[in-house]
Amino acid sequence: MKVLIGAYSQIPAGSPTPVFERALVSVLKPLLTYLYNSEQDAVLQLYLSSFLMDWLEKNHPEVNMLISDLVRRGRVELLSGSYHQSVLSLLTPKDRSNQIEMNTTSIRKRYAQRSKTLWCYGQYFNPVYINTLALCCIDKIVISTHNAIQGQDYLQEPFQMQELGKNVQILPTENGVSQLVQQYGSGEISFGHLLSRIRLLMNDPSKRFCFPMINIDQLCQGNITEAQSEELFSLLYSYSPISIEEVNDPNEPTQRGYLQAGLYGYDSLTSGLSSFNDLFVQDESLQYLYGRYTSMWESARNYKKDKDVRKRLEILLQKISIGAPYICDANGSMLRSSVRKLVWRYLNEADAVLSALPDHTYPVSTDYDGDDLDEFLTIGKNLSAVVDAKGGSLSELTYLPSLYNYGDTFVPLKGLGSSRNLHAPTPGTKQRVFTDVFFPISTPLYEYQKENGQQCIDMGRVVYDVSVLDRRNTEYLAQANCDANHILSSSLSIEKRFKFRQNTVLVELTLINTGDETIQSMYGCEVPLSIGSNKPTISFSLMEERKLTPYEEAEVVVNEVKSFKIFDEPNNTMITLVSDTRFTLLKEDYTIDYKTTLGEESLYQHTLFMPVWRLDLAPGAHQKHTLGLRLERK
């Protein structure tokens, strides 16, 4: 039996430092030390994310020196990939080749090895890659052949695949071992069970080829120790692994096969998707984020004048193309707010570059999310925002001095972690800022359930008529009508006038009873914000008579509120919400519980702040409220 042994880590940019430290101390250092001290001709196929390699270079250069020494001695063969860990099928052919070449060049400069083998981030594969690989002098792909979405296995021995006249060799990883490592990471089996089952698989006499490719991140997720890592790889290396170049036997015919487009292996949760791109059908937030990237790419491509500006935009687009927000793996990449905020930072920086060019017209209305409705981008001195017809609301709200998007309010699909929130929003929906809800007076605010259509009317799904009121694109009017229903006894007209100032968003709300019956209900204006914080819960302080009263609870209802403040400590930003009329405030932090490489974590997504007023409108009567949301450096 021919045996290859490999290991990989896909830690993305934006991950907290303890994630990198955990992978290094628990697995990577014991593994490399074992290889260095081993007297046998052991060979390791190794893939490390470019972000992990950069972190090692800055913080542990001795580890990079050790890898270089092992490469020189023929003990380590490094696999290439996309430099920014992009899902390559989401990029143009030129960008695909650029990403691969950047990663291959980085490996060559750092470790003096020219990699000719590709590792696909997240193990998503598409046959269109093959033509790109031919341009990059890549002739092999290491990937599982277990289709994670269909639950089916393909060939478990190396095979040649052809696409449009170009060839590549597929080296399938051992699906049985990968599944066991995934089960260990999720806590389904113990470390002793992992070892015994791997030993049984490796001793199978019917196997002619076996390639265990060990997910370092999943080992960390399972809380593996240094001693256990050494024990695991000592077992694997007892089977005398060979190098990739020794796989092919010139005396044996080449097996042929065809790997379809799909998400493979046991790295990522699929959440019932029918295909990878079905993610953009089911998850509004990710569809919107990807739409922002493709729209930015189109605008940047159309600019051809200043070479330096084009180069800067190209670098930003490469960083925006990171695939981590679309993959839910052992690192919890999709669920980490810090990962998504990094993407938004680069997006808003590119926005600022393009909008400031005197010789370039940057579009202010674009359909980012593919719903046939244009969104309106407004960029001021300190604030940028996107006005959305859905809900007559804001899809983004960025404080430009910090490039931090407070509108990144993510709600993952079902199956991607769990939530204990009392007022959890619908999975996969995008939560926008300043959306309208109505619910009965008899419903206590603690029992407010937006998903329950019998208890709540959610106007966040309704398309408002949005019009621009001035030439500078700083004032907008959103209008909608709500027919009489089981909560509203009469038809209601809703008008929201947005006014964007230097540091403030003013929202003038007008509710008009256009029917023949009196309306008595509760009206809430949802203001979900993704706040930066170094604490497990987001705190806020009420302002009354020049005194601040702090609230530390994750979920609370406060009556008779006029204004409150939130301090975003990491960004040194003070956020103030003030109203011209008193309201009842519902505040709740939205978090996702997920087991990551650091153990059980409660990953913060956003905080719902909802001012609530009582409506008591006679026919023809109206009610007005004005909200001001101010962001400023403290």
Side-chain angles (χ1 to χ4, degrees):
M1 179 173 66
K2 294 180 179 179
V3 176
L4 292 172
I5 302 295
Y8 63 101
S9 176
Q10 303 181 119
I11 300 175
S15 300
T17 299
V19 173
F20 295 92
E21 292 283 2
R22 176 98 173 97
L24 173 63
V25 173
S26 300
V27 183
L28 191 55
K29 189 176 286 187
L31 169 58
L32 297 174
T33 303
Y34 173 82
L35 282 175
Y36 184 81
N37 295 328
S38 176
E39 295 182 359
Q40 60 176 316
D41 293 330
V43 182
L44 174 71
Q45 311 302 319
L46 181 64
Y47 171 80
L48 301 177
S49 69
S50 59
F51 311 108
L52 178 52
M53 290 189 290
D54 289 342
W55 180 82
L56 289 173
E57 188 170 280
K58 294 175 183 176
N59 300 278
H60 296 276
E62 73 282 359
V63 176
N64 268 348
M65 291 176 63
L66 177 57
I67 295 175
S68 297
D69 184 63
L70 291 170
V71 167
R72 186 175 64 254
R73 292 165 53 187
R75 297 290 183 87
V76 168
E77 295 180 343
L78 291 160
L79 309 185
S80 185
S82 55
Y83 186 82
H84 290 285
Q85 293 206 148
S86 306
V87 177
L88 292 173
S89 64
L90 302 181
L91 309 181
T92 65
K94 179 182 177 182
D95 291 331
R96 283 182 217 141
S97 59
N98 285 344
Q99 290 273 359
I100 296 171
E101 283 295 338
M102 285 172 63
N103 200 52
T104 304
T105 300
S106 173
I107 292 172
R108 178 175 54 80
K109 289 182 176 179
R110 195 169 270 144
Y111 305 115
Q113 186 179 74
R114 178 65 163 91
S115 177
K116 293 186 177 181
T117 306
L118 182 80
W119 175 261
C120 301
Y121 172 65
Q123 298 205 62
Y124 179 78
F125 173 77
N126 194 302
V128 299
Y129 294 176
I130 295 180
N131 188 63
T132 301
L133 298 182
L135 297 175
C136 299
C137 299
I138 299 285
D139 55 17
K140 296 179 180 65
I141 296 176
V142 171
I143 193 170
S144 168
T145 54
H146 171 76
N147 191 310
I149 292 176
Q150 298 177 2
Q152 299 175 348
D153 291 348
Y154 191 51
L155 296 174
Q156 278 280 273
E157 295 186 15
F159 60 90
Q160 289 289 124
M161 177 175 170
Q162 184 183 96
E163 181 77 5
L164 297 176
K166 304 296 182 182
N167 289 285
V168 71
Q169 184 178 32
I170 306 293
L171 300 175
T173 60
E174 174 55 50
N175 291 327
V177 173
S178 297
Q179 185 176 21
L180 288 170
V181 173
Q182 183 271 329
Q183 290 173 345
Y184 170 72
S186 61
E188 297 176 42
I189 61 175
S190 66
F191 180 75
H193 191 183
L194 172 69
L195 285 184
S196 62
R197 291 291 301 276
I198 288 178
R199 190 177 289 110
L200 284 174
L201 282 171
M202 299 293 289
N203 290 331
D204 185 350
S206 66
K207 287 184 178 293
R208 297 193 305 168
F209 176 82
C210 190
F211 188 175
M213 191 74 175
I214 306 300
N215 189 324
I216 293 174
D217 305 330
Q218 288 179 346
L219 291 180
C220 295
Q221 187 184 30
N223 200 29
I224 196 168
T225 65
E226 299 174 55
Q228 289 172 335
S229 291
E230 185 172 345
E231 186 178 358
L232 170 62
F233 285 100
S234 177
L235 167 65
L236 293 172
Y237 278 103
S238 67
Y239 294 92
S240 303
I242 60 177
S243 69
I244 282 184
E245 297 302 324
E246 299 176 84
V247 170
N248 295 326
D249 187 340
N251 298 318
E252 293 184 2
T254 303
Q255 187 173 9
R256 298 194 176 275
Y258 192 88
L259 198 63
Q260 298 179 354
L263 191 63
Y264 289 89
Y266 295 88
D267 292 350
S268 307
L269 299 179
T270 59
S271 187
L273 300 175
S274 61
S275 66
F276 178 79
N277 284 63
D278 189 33
L279 179 68
F280 301 119
V281 176
Q282 296 195 32
D283 194 305
E284 289 183 338
S285 295
L286 297 182
Q287 165 62 32
Y288 182 86
L289 178 61
Y290 183 60
R292 280 288 265 131
Y293 163 69
T294 55
S295 299
M296 177 63 66
W297 180 87
E298 190 72 29
S299 297
R301 188 189 66 170
N302 291 333
Y303 182 76
K304 303 182 183 299
K305 295 184 180 180
D306 192 312
K307 184 178 179 180
D308 292 336
V309 171
R310 294 205 317 270
K311 183 64 176 178
R312 184 181 177 190
L313 289 170
E314 181 181 346
I315 293 172
L316 289 172
L317 283 169
Q318 289 169 351
K319 293 179 178 180
I320 295 167
S321 69
I322 180 176
Y326 313 114
I327 298 292
C328 190
D329 56 8
N331 294 299
S333 305
M334 176 189 288
L335 306 176
R336 284 204 184 276
S337 180
S338 57
V339 172
R340 298 195 308 275
K341 289 298 187 300
L342 197 61
V343 177
W344 281 112
R345 178 184 180 85
Y346 296 133
L347 265 168
N348 285 290
E349 187 176 346
D351 273 339
V353 171
L354 284 168
S355 63
L357 295 172
D359 53 355
H360 178 72
T361 302
Y362 191 45
V364 295
S365 60
T366 308
D367 181 12
Y368 295 127
D369 51 6
D371 59 358
D372 296 325
L373 298 169
D374 277 354
E375 286 78 46
F376 299 87
L377 174 65
T378 175
I379 302 178
K381 183 177 180 180
N382 290 328
L383 295 179
S384 75
V386 172
V387 181
D388 198 327
K390 279 186 178 176
S393 55
L394 304 184
S395 291
E396 298 174 41
L397 179 60
T398 301
Y399 187 51
L400 294 177
S402 63
L403 293 175
Y404 189 91
N405 178 19
Y406 290 94
D408 174 37
T409 50
F410 185 61
V411 183
L413 296 173
K414 287 183 178 178
L416 304 182
S418 59
S419 172
R420 292 171 290 175
N421 292 75
L422 297 175
H423 314 291
T426 304
T429 58
K430 181 169 176 55
Q431 302 303 294
R432 298 172 175 86
V433 185
F434 298 117
T435 54
D436 307 303
V437 293
F438 299 91
F439 52 95
I441 294 176
S442 59
T443 301
L445 200 47
Y446 280 108
E447 298 179 8
Y448 163 71
Q449 293 285 341
K450 192 165 84 168
E451 282 191 275
N452 189 338
Q454 295 301 312
Q455 293 186 2
C456 177
I457 299 173
D458 178 14
M459 297 296 290
R461 317 300 304 160
V462 175
V463 177
Y464 283 57
D465 181 21
V466 177
S467 54
V468 185
L469 301 181
D470 68 333
R471 294 182 179 180
R472 296 181 300 162
N473 300 305
T474 61
E475 294 192 14
Y476 296 82
L477 178 63
Q479 297 173 297
N481 293 309
C482 187
D483 295 332
N485 50 60
H486 60 287
I487 293 177
L488 297 175
S489 56
S490 185
S491 56
L492 185 72
S493 172
I494 306 170
E495 293 183 0
K496 288 190 284 190
R497 185 184 295 264
F498 293 94
K499 297 180 179 180
F500 296 94
R501 301 298 182 250
Q502 180 171 310
N503 290 297
T504 306
V505 181
L506 290 173
V507 186
E508 297 176 352
L509 307 163
T510 304
L511 307 169
I512 307 171
N513 185 345
T514 56
D516 299 325
E517 301 291 334
T518 298
I519 295 177
Q520 291 184 326
S521 73
M522 303 301 292
Y523 164 68
C525 183
E526 292 190 319
V527 186
L529 300 173
S530 182
I531 310 294
S533 177
N534 296 323
K535 299 178 181 179
T537 61
I538 302 299
S539 61
F540 68 99
S541 299
L542 295 190
M543 298 169 54
E544 291 291 342
E545 298 178 355
R546 299 184 180 181
K547 293 182 180 180
L548 294 178
T549 304
Y551 287 82
E552 304 285 345
E553 297 92 334
E555 196 266 347
V556 67
V557 172
V558 186
N559 295 315
E560 293 296 309
V561 177
K562 189 71 178 293
S563 66
F564 61 89
K565 290 180 177 290
I566 315 141
F567 180 45
D568 178 355
E569 185 178 355
N571 295 298
N572 195 31
T573 303
M574 183 63 76
I575 305 167
T576 304
L577 183 69
V578 61
S579 171
D580 64 340
T581 54
R582 293 191 178 274
F583 55 84
T584 300
L585 175 66
L586 167 65
K587 177 264 181 182
E588 183 178 33
D589 295 337
Y590 179 72
T591 58
I592 293 292
D593 295 332
Y594 189 79
K595 187 179 183 183
T596 71
T597 52
L598 299 179
E600 295 290 345
E601 288 193 79
S602 184
L603 299 172
Y604 172 79
Q605 305 301 319
H606 65 268
T607 300
L608 171 64
F609 297 95
M610 185 168 74
V612 177
W613 295 271
R614 175 171 174 151
L615 285 184
D616 195 347
L617 296 176
H622 68 273
Q623 188 168 315
K624 290 186 176 182
H625 305 282
T626 299
L627 289 175
L629 184 61
R630 183 174 180 84
L631 297 91
E632 57 191 338
R633 288 291 193 194
K634 185 173 180 181

